[in-house]
Amino acid sequence: MTSRTKLATVGLVASTLSLVLAGCAGSSSGNGADNGKVTHVAGAPDWCGTKKISFALLDGFGGNSWRLVTTASGKDEASKCPSVTKFQYADGQGNVQKSISDIKGMVSTGVDAMVVFPDAGKAVLPALTSAYKAGVVTVPYRVDPGGKAGENYDAWIGSDFSNDGVNWANWIKEAVPNGGNILFLGGPAGNSQSVSEYEALRKTLPDSYKFIGQTPFQPTNWDPTKTQQLLTADIAKYPKIDVIVSDFGPTLVSSLPLFPKSGRDIPALATSDGNSLSCFWKDSQAASPFKMMTVATGNDNVRLAVQVAVAKATGGKVPTADSFKAPIFEDSISKKPNDVQCNPNLPGDTYLSAQMPGAEQAKLGK
């Protein structure tokens, strides 16, 4: 990447937040990113090189608690590198054209590196490509925008959703050892995350486990109201549901009471974590106990993307990992690595699996 002339930031989109971070680099062991040598700021992570840069984090949609925590996590990760002298943020607010304008706006300010959550997928690929060809270190993450690294952007830092599917399948074999009926509640129809998870589940589970309902998954849009509507119909249609798999567990909190109200046990649940879900599990144990396992909901995916972008722009050591693997977080059976975690003193939309402490998450957006 060539270095870029920094232009004034005046006139950037109204939703853009600028924050000047501490800009005092420590001693260095190299000459920065321009000569291709790996450099390092003493006392900082090894991915932090010595070249001073401005950095931007962009969301296609930043308007929910998960995104607030994820954005704050990305900002925290960037703050670990003193060579990042300026941090900017933009929220596309679910508007594709605004997301594209935000990317172009950041390029026009002369930003050196950007990490982008490309919610609109391939629709923002031309803007990402333009940024990359303009010399900005460009790293989309989590959602695949299409294109290729080295042609359209520097790197894509995805999440290994197949790993989640394998972890859920292995737990299901322990929780329901003799086979059973599985209902998979996924995100929007056709989304690659839920498809990857289903394929890993199907490949890992023997034929004694049958998927019921729409396959590869029932599309809930990760919306609690739609989830409740679908599950109401499922309970009426299927007399036997042994396991529910959901790739966003907190959306189930308002739906799971439908089972005891119908005179049925709550099925075993393989999903992702959230404080509201964990506290529901705790509260249910006396009257309607059920087994539950969660994987980390993935707020820290952004940290790896930030590390890669900052390393490439500052001349630091680029991490070798190219995708985020969410670890298992809770298991009500083995209690490993954790029993179900509930903190009733924190808001329900807190994600205790994230590196950011729950108390700090609770302060966000207030």
Side-chain angles (χ1 to χ4, degrees), residues 312-336:
K312 286 179 174 289
T314 63
K317 182 179 180 181
V318 179
T320 56
D322 59 5
S323 68
F324 174 78
K325 285 183 180 293
I328 295 172
F329 180 57
E330 300 162 304
D331 187 338
S332 68
I333 301 174
S334 70
K335 317 297 184 188
K336 297 178 180 178

Side-chain angles (χ1 to χ4, degrees), residues 167-182:
N167 283 332
W168 288 331
N170 289 332
W171 181 80
I172 289 169
K173 287 189 283 188
E174 179 183 1
V176 187
N178 297 320
N181 293 339
I182 300 175

Side-chain angles (χ1 to χ4, degrees), residues 146-183:
K148 295 180 180 179
E151 294 183 11
N152 304 97
Y153 40 77
D154 290 82
W156 174 60
I157 304 300
S159 183
D160 190 345
F161 297 117
S162 295
N163 185 61
D164 295 342
V166 170
N167 283 332
W168 288 331
N170 289 332
W171 181 80
I172 289 169
K173 287 189 283 188
E174 179 183 1
V176 187
N178 297 320
N181 293 339
I182 300 175
L183 179 65

